[in-house]
Structure formats: structure tokens, C-alpha cells
Amino acid sequence: MTKKAYIEIDSERCKGCGLCINACPQHVIRFSEKFNNKGYHYAELHDPENKCIGCAFCYNMCPDVCIVVHRLVKEESKV
Amino acid sequence: MDSTIDKIIAKMPKSLSGKEFTYCPGCHHGIVHRLIAEVIDELGIAGKTLMVAPVGCSVFAYEFFDLDGTVAPHGRAPAVATGMKRAMPDRIVFTYQGDGDLASIGTAEIVHAANRGENITTIFINNAVYGMTGGQMAPTTLLGQKTTTTPYGRSAKANGYPIRMSEMLATLEGSAYVERVMVTTPQNVIKAKRAIKKAFEVQIKNLGFSMVEVLSTCPTNWGLTPIEAMKWLEEKMTKQYPLGIYVDRTKEAE
Amino acid sequence: MKMLFKGSEAIAEAAIRAGCRLYFGYPITPQSELTEYMSRRLPEVDGTFLQAESEVATVNMMYGASCTGKRVMTSTSSPGFSLMMEGVSYMAGAELPAVFVNVVRGGPGLGDIQPAQSDYFQATKGGGHGDYRMIVLAPHTIQESVDLMNLAFDLADKYRMLVTILADGMLGQMMEPVEFPEMRDPNGVPKKDWALTGASDHEPRKVTSFNIDPYGLEEMNLRYQATYKKVVENEIRYEEVNTKDADIIIAAYGTMARIVKTTIHLAEKEGIKVGLFRPITLWPFPYKQINKLADTVENVLTVEMSYGQMLEDVKLGVNGKAKTPFYGRSGGVVPTPTEVLEAVKKVMVGDLNG
Amino acid sequence: MNFLNFKTRLFVYIGMFGSGKTELAINTAIDLRKQVSRVALVDIDVISPYFRSRDERKFLKTKGIEVIAPPGVLSHADLPIITAQMSGYISNPDYFTVADVGGNEDGATVLGSIKPFLDSTSKSVFFVINTLRPFSTTLEEIVKNIQKISKSGKIKINYLVCNTNIGSETNGDNIRKGEEIVRKVSEYLEIPVAFTVVKDGIEYSGKFPVFKLKRYLSNLW
């Protein structure tokens, strides 16, 4: 599958609450095994099959505004 | 040849300062902050908006927004906002208050600001507990709910009943728009944003007092994980505090 | 042109002349005329009058209005001023300028509605929590109340401090001819580079008394103290009447000083030379000035419509150089000039000691 | 000033706050008492906290005048009290009564509550004007005040009184200018001017009869 979208998570800002993981319909976010400097298992994107659809549910639920949502869109052909 | 571009569709809104929130993991304050900032950005009013933060967990809220702002004494945000708005009627003034602030110590101020039809917007966070001071009973604590000052659960006989502010304020003729929302799912978050936007628009149109009550979790003081807390909110809190628009006088006012 | 004004009304008009267009207040006797005057007069000059739901709300409305950099005031009487103490402390901490008028009545508690001076401690020593000061001005005539109003707003703006006009029911209720200064343009008041007006033309500003870091808060407190020091150095005001070669000096302020001025004449007829030392700023108190006077007399008699509140400052000023006897009435009883003269005589024969 | 010429036994003073009603009421009562034996001064000022007729009760008693005000300690209460006695004296045909009403429309409102008593007796209502008081300096302002007070007190005004003064510093020039404004008001509203008040010690004669006034309510100094 081609990559349609992806997210960036500010792992240092993340408090590992898991609301994004809970909200993700594609189940492509998980807790990292690593800790950030605050000591939290931060959320990370794990999307080997490119399932992320850029719905921004994670962004909407993140209480710490850690997530940037990208969509890869086809460039509109110029007339 | 097909070429794709990388488009950012969601990121931190401009009206947030970027300072890290002081809230506990999973606390809904952060979601509501972001929604307010998005609304301010979309309405293009950041340069003329004044914020009044409360005393409570969100006492630092004025730091989290890239806006002119202050902190009111506990409960007095509506009075402070009144003073600002009366001094500068063309500015947008909003208060951000918790349930202890708005529904307990500041009941007189919120009731009279609403009753005057004070042209301000209030975002009211109801999480049924005092967060900042360590989980004591709030006026909105549910019957039977255990807190550090209701160790046997809140009893109506000893502590009275959970107070419904939206319903109460909706009875006042100065209230132009009052809605209760929650932010437990992405769909709810979008609805909540719509409510907040409407509340600010009411102010921009000089229609009177507007308030959005947001039912919120307090995982720390409830002793639940963030996910469990959201379930508890949806199951228990919404029974006492049904969602919905409690008053919308915008049509008659317009 | 001179006109006949009640003290309360004159103070209100003077505030408007000083460029104040924002009044928040809650009715309380004996100063409701001031509130009523504002409700009638402010709309005439495009000002804002708002009757708040309480004194607690009043002071917080002032906080909000002052945040925007505009001149704001309220007036109240003793029990109302007690209620305002929360906001007074917050405003002092946030360095917000504003003017309060306290038309003092008998206390403590509900007390009565007669004139008193028993809020001296509250005004000059605190009342609200924290290490703060407010400038306290004590007029003794209606004309002086008018003149001090301009000063009050100027000092408030200059030092970013609260200023209280400490009057009493007598001064508020009596009528005298008075002349007003020219109307000042409210837009001519200096712009404030800290005011919250919307961050369109400046970096977002924060006005707050809050700092969770003890070192940070200490730094804020040191800044307040530096301001207070400047006020002490530059803003002390007082009046001396008949103090040269006086047999006795009376220290009195406000209405009480007015009464003492009559006592001076009564005493003269009996061959007693009474001098008056009248602090106009109760904070900062003219300690040095009264200390100097104490060199010239055996007794500095403090007379108050309370039981020895200013007396403590007089003692600090006199610092043992003279005796500091006291005479006072309270609860709304106003000593007559003759009564004060009797006290003077007692002091002089050693029947009233301090 | 011979108050008997007004052919009435109830004299009601109304007007703006601080226009000088109380002082005038006291002077009128004292003047009347020189000619008739039963004079009462009814203090229905529910507005002012100090400087009311009741404060001079003792002094007026020595002059043979009954002062009707709330009894004892209540006279200093912060309460708007109207006693049954007040309405009694207003309608008592054995007395010449002077009524001192509180200032502004708020002070006059109380008259509505005793309207039946006021209507049952022949009375003269005097509107006191001091043109050197705020909100009373022009024809327009004064006319508006008269209309408002007349409406809130549900009472018709029979006479105007010119009481232009600035207390101790009043001079003849002040009074002359005041009379000029009051004359215009009188013409505009077609209400006659009863008299001009002139404080004892000022030599003055002008357009209207002069009532020499002594100051009884004094400050402590």
C-alpha cells in the first residue's frame, strides 16, 4: 500500500496518556518502549503497512498538542 | 507523472504559546485549550483578545496562550472580564474557569455577569472535583462520589446536590448561548469546537453572555487511567449533566 | 465658578475631571451619593458606570478595567472596603493603578453610619494579605478632596499603585463651596506600556500577581519595595498650622483636623497656643517631619475619631522626644472643638499623659 | 415673610438633593411658630443619612415645635422609615405642619405612600431650587428635575423657591443670577415664585419677596 498520510509526535512533549492510541481507527500508534526525558513511554507511530489515513483523530484527542498530521496529496495538474 | 505533496493538515495553533502544559497525562484541559486557540485563529481575533485565567489547575492558562492575559482571584474571572470588556468594548474577552472557581466560590460573579448579558465568553471546565488542591469535593461532585473531603461519598444530606450551572445560567435572560459538551471522542471534540466557536461568535456579534461547559476528566484525582476516566465521564457524569444546548437566544437577538 | 457641592459629589466630579471614565461600585451609606452622582454624570461624558453585585465583584471589575490601562475608581464605606480587600491585594501584586474612596463610618462590624476614622490601620497597614502598600490621602475640606483627586490618579499611574482617599461620613455629607479644575482629556492620560489591549501591536503581555517560584516572587516583592521607597522619598505631604512656638502640638487628620483648626482659635482666646500637624499622606506617613516638631514641644497630642490608630505612627515619628498623649471618640461620635480644648488643658496640667 | 399669607396649613418642601429644603423647613417652622401656637415639622427625608431636621429635634423643641421623625435610636438607622404619626400630623387640622421631604425623585417617591393624607388637607408645595448645585444650573435641567420629582411624588407643585447659594461664601451677585434662572423656569412652567431665600447678613432685594434665613444646621466647626 502506498503511503497516504503520517503523523509526527513530539516525543518530548508527550506524557504517554494514550488517548491518541485509543482514538486511532487504524491502530497505528503505540507506546514506545523507550522513555522520554520526563520518564514517560511516549506514543509513536508504528505503521509498516502505511495504514494511516490522516484522519487527525489522534491530533484531536491529544491533550498536549504533540501531534502534527501530514497528508500526502496528489498535486493538482496545472491547466 | 504523478507527484505528491506533503500537506500538514493539523498542527499546534498559532494562538498557543507552545509552552508545555502543566496538566497531568490525559487531562482534558489541554484539548480544550487547543480548541480555543484554533477558534481564535480561525476567527482572526488573536490581536484583540484578552484572556482571564482562573485559580485552579488552569491557573497558568494565561501562559499557554499567545494572547494578552491575566489571572483573576479565585472565582472572580467574570468580574475581571466585565471590567475589561466595559473598558474596551471592541475587544474579545474570555474567561477560562473550573468548577470550584465558577460553581462554588464564584457563583455570584458568574450569575450576575450572565444576568447582565455581559458580552463575554466563558469556557467552563467541569470535572466534578477540585484538582489543584488535591481532589476535594467540588460543587459538581456526583452523589456518592468519593473525594478527599467526602471520604464516604458525597451525600445529599450533608453536602447538597451536584449543581447544574448550564441549566441554571440558561434561565437568565442575559445568557445568549449556553451549551454543554464533552471531549471524550474525536467526534465530540469536533462538536465541542463548534460550540466554542459559536460562543465567540456570539460575543463578536454583541449578543450577550455565552458559555460552553466542557465535561472533563481528572484521571489523577479520580484514580482512573485516562481511558477509564473517559468511560466514567460518559457513563456517570452525563447522567447528571446531560449534553446539549441549554439556551440559544442568538436568533431573537440578531 | 464656585458651586455648592456635597463632599461625595465633589469627589465624584473631581474624578471625572481627572480623566476617570470608569466607575464600578456598590451602594453603601454614607457614600451612596457618590455612586448616584456617577450614575447620573458618567453617561453625560461617555463614561461607564456599573453597579456591581457586591464589593467583591466591584474590586475585580476594577482589576479588569485597570488591566486595560484606563483610569478606574470606586467608592465605598468601611464594611464595603473590607470586602474589597481580596482584590486590593491582587491589584497591588499585579501593580495595577486605581483609586479607592473610603468614606469611613463607625465600626467594627456593621457598626453605624456616622462618621469615624477607625479604618486607619486597614488603609495604611494592609488589610489585604501580603507585603504591599497603598498611598493614602486624607483631605480635610471638600476643596482639598477635589484637589487631591487629580493627584490620586496621577500617583496611581506614576507608581502603578493603588491610592485610597480616606474620608469620613462628615466630609462626605457636608456641603461647601468648591471650585473644580479643568476637565482633563481621558485620552491624554499617558499610555501604559504594560496594559492589556490585545497583542496586535506588541508581544503578548501578562498582568499577574502570581509567581510560583519563591525566588521569582521575592524578586517581584523587591520591585514593589523599591517603588514604595520612591514614594516615601518623593510623595510625603502634610500641613502645619501655628506650630511655631506652640505650647502643644496636636496631630490630627481629615475631619478631626478641621475640628482642631477651630480648637486653635478657641485656645488662643484662653492664651494657649495650639499647633496642628496634619498629615495629608497617611501612607507614606511624615515621620521625619513630626520628629522635627517634637523637638519644640513637651507634648504631641494625637486626636482621632478612633481609639489611637494614627497614634502609633505619631509615636514612631516622635520617637520618645516628646510625650504622646491621646484623645479620641469612636463609634460615630465626633469630638467638638471645645472637647478637644478640654483635652489640651488636661494634657497641660498633666492629667492626660502619654 | 408671612407664611399665613399662603392660606394653607401644610407646607411641603421638595426639590433636588442638597437644594436646602431642611434648613428652609426649620426656618419656616420657627417663623410660623411666632404667629401660631401649634407647629409641627415632619421629617420625611428617607434619603439623607445626616443633616436632617431630626438632628435638631431638641433645639426645635425649645422653640415650641414638634419634630415628627422615627422614634429614638431608629432616627439614626439606615432605614427608610415612615411612621403613622407622620401622616397623622400631615392631616391634623389643629396643626400648622411643615414637611421636609428627601431630595431628588427618590426622596419624593415616598409622598406617594401618604397621598391620601396629603390630599385630605389644604397644602402648598414648594419646589426649592439652588442654581449653584450640580444638575440644577440651567433652565432645561431644572425643568426636567421639576417634572421628574412632581411625577415620582405624584404631587402638583404650587410654588418655586429661589435658594441659590454656595453656603458661607454666597453674595448678592450669586442670588441675582439665580433669580434670573428661576424666573425663566417660572415663566416656562407657569408656576409662581414664592420667595427668594437670603441668608442673614446679606443685604439683598430683587425680583421676588425675600425670606431671611438663619442657619441652624451647622458643622461642628
Side-chain angles (χ1 to χ4, degrees):
Chain A
M1 229 196 256
T2 50
K3 193 167 173 177
K4 294 181 288 291
Y6 69 100
I7 60 170
E8 290 174 274
I9 300 175
D10 182 340
S11 58
E12 280 311 315
R13 202 177 161 95
C14 177
K15 292 171 186 161
C17 69
L19 295 196
C20 56
I21 298 171
N22 186 59
C24 179
Q26 301 298 95
H27 308 290
V28 292
I29 315 174
R30 66 178 186 191
F31 287 119
S32 169
E33 282 174 10
K34 290 182 214 146
F35 297 98
N36 63 13
N37 280 331
K38 287 199 281 277
Y40 292 119
H41 286 290
Y42 53 86
E44 64 180 14
L45 179 70
H46 177 71
D47 190 15
E49 295 167 43
N50 291 332
K51 282 161 72 182
C52 177
I53 52 173
C55 67
F57 279 15
C58 54
Y59 168 86
N60 269 308
M61 290 309 297
C62 175
D64 287 284
V65 208
C66 308
I67 300 174
V68 179
V69 184
H70 298 256
R71 271 190 207 161
L72 302 170
V73 290
K74 285 212 174 86
E75 195 176 27
E76 283 167 30
S77 51
K78 282 165 194 159
V79 182
Chain B
M1 198 180 115
D2 259 8
S3 72
T4 56
I5 51 167
D6 186 328
K7 198 174 166 195
I8 292 177
I9 63 146
K11 63 169 186 181
M12 182 171 297
K14 276 201 190 110
S15 290
L16 286 179
S17 65
K19 280 188 188 139
E20 213 167 276
F21 297 151
T22 41
Y23 308 114
C24 306
C27 169
H28 284 180
H29 271 306
I31 300 177
V32 183
H33 281 17
R34 198 199 79 237
L35 294 180
I36 294 169
E38 285 179 0
V39 164
I40 288 172
D41 286 355
E42 286 166 22
L43 294 170
I45 54 173
K48 60 171 190 172
T49 299
L50 311 180
M51 173 181 196
V52 185
V55 171
C57 282
S58 49
V59 66
F60 283 112
Y62 68 99
E63 292 279 359
F64 303 142
F65 288 84
D66 244 356
L67 304 168
D68 278 5
T70 187
V71 188
H74 197 23
R76 318 293 178 223
V80 169
T82 297
M84 285 177 163
K85 188 74 182 183
R86 295 288 177 128
M88 302 197 109
D90 61 340
R91 301 304 198 272
I92 303 301
V93 182
F94 79 97
T95 74
Y96 188 95
Q97 303 177 256
D99 44 31
D101 198 79
L102 182 140
S104 187
I105 196 166
T107 39
E109 284 75 17
I110 193 67
V111 165
H112 288 277
N115 192 48
R116 283 191 302 269
E118 210 61 64
N119 204 25
I120 59 170
T121 301
T122 291
I123 308 300
F124 167 38
I125 304 297
N126 178 3
N127 62 11
V129 76
Y130 277 67
M132 184 199 220
T133 45
Q136 295 85 2
M137 184 189 73
T140 51
T141 292
L142 303 184
L143 288 180
Q145 187 182 337
K146 285 185 180 169
T147 69
T148 57
T149 50
T150 52
Y152 309 107
R154 179 176 187 165
S155 93
K157 201 177 167 197
N159 313 109
Y161 296 88
I163 192 165
R164 297 185 181 99
M165 291 307 294
S166 286
E167 287 85 334
M168 187 172 141
L169 295 177
T171 65
L172 303 172
E173 284 166 80
S175 297
Y177 188 77
V178 177
E179 182 171 357
R180 183 184 287 125
V181 298
M182 62 181 178
V183 288
T184 52
T185 65
Q187 292 76 11
N188 286 329
V189 169
I190 289 159
K191 273 190 207 162
K193 181 173 167 185
R194 215 177 289 146
I196 291 169
K197 194 164 189 177
K198 170 113 183 177
F200 275 89
E201 284 167 344
V202 164
Q203 182 178 173
I204 291 166
K205 291 179 192 161
N206 284 311
L207 301 180
F209 176 77
S210 54
M211 182 177 91
V212 178
E213 173 177 349
V214 186
L215 300 182
S216 305
T217 58
C218 182
T220 303
N221 285 302
W222 292 359
L224 300 171
T225 68
I227 309 293
E228 287 168 347
M230 292 202 298
K231 287 205 179 85
W232 190 87
L233 186 159
E234 285 174 342
E235 281 168 20
K236 302 275 172 61
M237 274 188 85
T238 53
K239 283 206 183 82
Q240 177 69 21
Y241 304 111
L243 305 184
I245 296 171
Y246 283 89
V247 69
D248 183 354
R249 291 193 176 90
T250 57
K251 289 226 171 63
E252 45 191 286
E254 267 177 301
Chain C
M1 185 180 65
K2 276 197 178 174
M3 285 189 45
L4 188 64
F5 264 74
K6 253 188 194 221
S8 301
E9 302 165 339
I11 289 172
E13 180 62 29
I16 289 170
R17 303 273 173 136
C20 175
R21 291 292 179 277
L22 289 155
Y23 176 95
F24 301 94
Y26 188 82
I28 182 168
T29 312
Q31 67 74 49
S32 297
E33 293 88 345
L34 207 165
T35 313
E36 285 162 1
Y37 187 95
M38 284 299 198
S39 72
R40 204 173 178 122
R41 185 81 172 93
L42 274 169
E44 292 182 353
V45 290
D46 294 326
T48 299
F49 167 87
L50 182 58
Q51 180 171 326
E53 62 270 27
S54 67
E55 283 90 349
V56 175
T58 298
V59 70
N60 285 291
M61 289 173 184
M62 293 173 74
Y63 179 113
S66 180
C67 277
T68 69
K70 298 199 173 165
R71 291 191 159 179
V72 59
M73 76 168 293
T74 192
S75 60
T76 186
S77 180
S78 308
F81 201 42
S82 290
L83 277 169
M84 289 180 185
M85 281 303 140
E86 172 191 70
V88 163
S89 170
Y90 278 71
M91 290 181 88
E95 296 166 286
L96 287 169
V99 174
F100 293 79
V101 177
N102 181 2
V103 180
V104 181
R105 63 188 237 185
L110 191 51
D112 63 15
I113 59 167
Q114 304 302 318
Q117 295 184 320
S118 40
D119 296 359
Y120 181 94
F121 282 154
Q122 186 189 43
T124 61
K125 310 290 177 191
H129 59 281
D131 254 329
Y132 78 93
R133 290 291 190 179
M134 60 202 287
I135 297 170
V136 184
L137 303 174
H140 79 316
T141 64
I142 296 181
Q143 186 64 55
E144 190 180 30
S145 316
V146 166
D147 300 339
L148 288 180
M149 224 39 207
N150 243 325
L151 178 72
F153 279 103
D154 286 345
L155 292 179
D157 280 352
K158 182 175 176 190
Y159 296 103
R160 291 186 65 178
M161 275 183 77
L162 301 179
V163 178
T164 293
I165 303 277
L166 199 67
D168 62 66
M170 187 63 76
L171 209 55
Q173 289 295 323
M174 69 187 198
M175 289 172 86
E176 280 180 339
V178 60
E179 199 149 21
F180 289 97
E182 287 297 303
M183 184 76 83
R184 282 166 77 176
D185 177 5
N187 300 316
V189 172
K191 291 269 175 289
K192 288 138 181 169
D193 60 7
W194 49 264
L196 306 183
T197 56
S200 58
D201 57 355
H202 54 251
E203 283 299 299
R205 294 170 179 162
K206 314 293 174 186
V207 169
T208 167
S209 60
F210 183 50
N211 196 327
I212 206 158
D213 164 32
Y215 296 99
L217 188 60
E218 185 183 48
E219 208 171 287
M220 282 163 69
N221 267 283
L222 288 171
R223 192 172 68 228
Y224 309 151
Q225 293 304 320
T227 303
Y228 302 155
K229 194 165 166 251
K230 270 190 216 150
V231 175
V232 170
E233 282 163 5
N234 300 317
E235 306 300 347
I236 285 174
R237 283 167 173 80
Y238 61 96
E239 183 194 20
E240 285 185 28
V241 181
N242 219 24
T243 47
K244 219 177 161 209
D245 308 322
D247 301 320
I248 180 171
I249 301 276
I250 296 182
Y253 70 96
T255 290
M256 205 55 245
R258 187 79 179 266
I259 292 164
V260 170
K261 283 188 174 175
T262 306
T263 304
I264 291 175
H265 296 301
L266 295 178
E268 240 166 18
K269 287 179 198 153
E270 301 196 19
I272 308 168
K273 194 166 179 206
V274 174
L276 167 67
F277 182 76
R278 179 174 75 89
I280 297 169
T281 49
L282 299 181
W283 193 91
F285 190 85
Y287 291 115
K288 280 183 192 156
Q289 291 76 6
I290 200 167
N291 183 273
K292 229 168 122 192
L293 270 186
D295 284 331
T296 66
V297 285
E298 203 176 317
N299 285 288
V300 176
L301 168 65
T302 304
V303 186
E304 293 176 56
M305 281 144 60
S306 58
Y307 287 126
Q309 297 195 13
M310 184 176 77
L311 174 65
E312 295 192 2
D313 281 329
V314 170
K315 281 183 173 172
L316 283 171
V318 169
N319 199 16
K321 281 185 175 174
K323 282 188 250 173
T324 49
F326 174 78
Y327 182 75
R329 299 292 296 267
S330 190
V333 180
V334 183
T336 62
T338 322
E339 223 177 307
V340 177
L341 181 59
E342 289 308 311
V344 166
K345 288 178 186 165
K346 275 189 190 163
V347 170
M348 298 192 65
V349 298
D351 278 354
L352 184 62
N353 292 302
Chain D
M1 179 66 36
N2 187 351
F3 281 93
L4 297 183
N5 287 345
F6 288 101
K7 308 255 181 269
T8 182
R9 43 155 304 281
L10 176 62
F11 300 83
V12 180
Y13 284 114
I14 61 178
M16 293 294 280
F17 197 57
S19 55
K21 297 175 295 299
T22 298
E23 198 77 77
L24 206 46
I26 291 172
N27 274 269
T28 305
I30 290 172
D31 236 48
L32 274 169
R33 183 65 183 78
K34 288 174 189 160
Q35 301 187 65
V36 299
S37 59
R38 288 178 170 178
V39 176
L41 201 173
V42 182
D43 179 353
I44 34 184
D45 186 347
V46 295
I47 300 286
S48 318
Y50 319 156
F51 301 124
R52 298 189 277 198
S53 303
R54 63 192 68 170
D55 299 330
E56 303 301 321
R57 199 194 303 245
K58 262 193 208 151
F59 162 75
L60 289 165
K61 190 140 193 161
T62 67
K63 295 267 179 185
I65 294 161
E66 301 262 351
V67 175
I68 315 304
V73 75
L74 279 181
S75 73
H76 288 295
D78 195 6
L79 300 167
I81 298 169
I82 297 292
T83 64
Q85 215 191 0
M86 292 180 177
S87 19
Y89 272 89
I90 281 172
S91 48
N92 186 337
D94 297 338
Y95 274 82
F96 277 79
T97 303
V98 183
D100 175 17
V101 183
N104 291 8
E105 49 273 31
D106 317 318
T109 304
V110 69
L111 293 177
S113 72
I114 51 172
K115 194 169 185 335
F117 300 98
L118 289 168
D119 287 350
S120 71
T121 183
S122 87
K123 63 180 178 296
S124 292
V125 180
F126 297 83
F127 189 92
V128 184
I129 302 166
N130 179 356
T131 57
L132 287 172
R133 286 277 301 150
F135 310 118
S136 294
T137 55
T138 63
L139 171 77
E140 293 75 26
E141 284 182 327
I142 297 166
V143 167
K144 215 195 277 170
N145 296 338
I146 290 175
Q147 286 165 344
K148 266 197 225 159
I149 290 180
S150 179
K151 193 176 163 203
S152 71
K154 296 175 185 154
I155 199 162
K156 189 176 166 293
I157 288 152
N158 306 106
Y159 301 100
L160 304 181
V161 171
C162 174
N163 188 29
T164 293
N165 77 90
I166 46 168
S168 56
E169 295 175 31
T170 313
N171 59 38
D173 195 40
N174 299 140
I175 302 174
R176 204 172 319 280
K177 284 179 184 158
E179 277 194 335
E180 191 46 41
I181 298 172
V182 174
R183 182 187 62 79
K184 282 186 199 155
V185 175
S186 165
E187 280 170 10
Y188 183 84
L189 293 174
E190 295 176 354
I191 302 173
V193 179
F195 51 84
T196 291
V197 179
V198 178
K199 207 178 58 144
D200 233 8
I202 301 176
E203 281 309 313
Y204 182 83
S205 71
K207 285 193 183 64
F208 309 113
V210 164
F211 178 32
K212 281 275 178 189
L213 184 107
K214 253 186 103 169
R215 204 162 169 212
Y216 293 105
L217 294 169
S218 57
N219 294 322
L220 276 166
W221 45 84

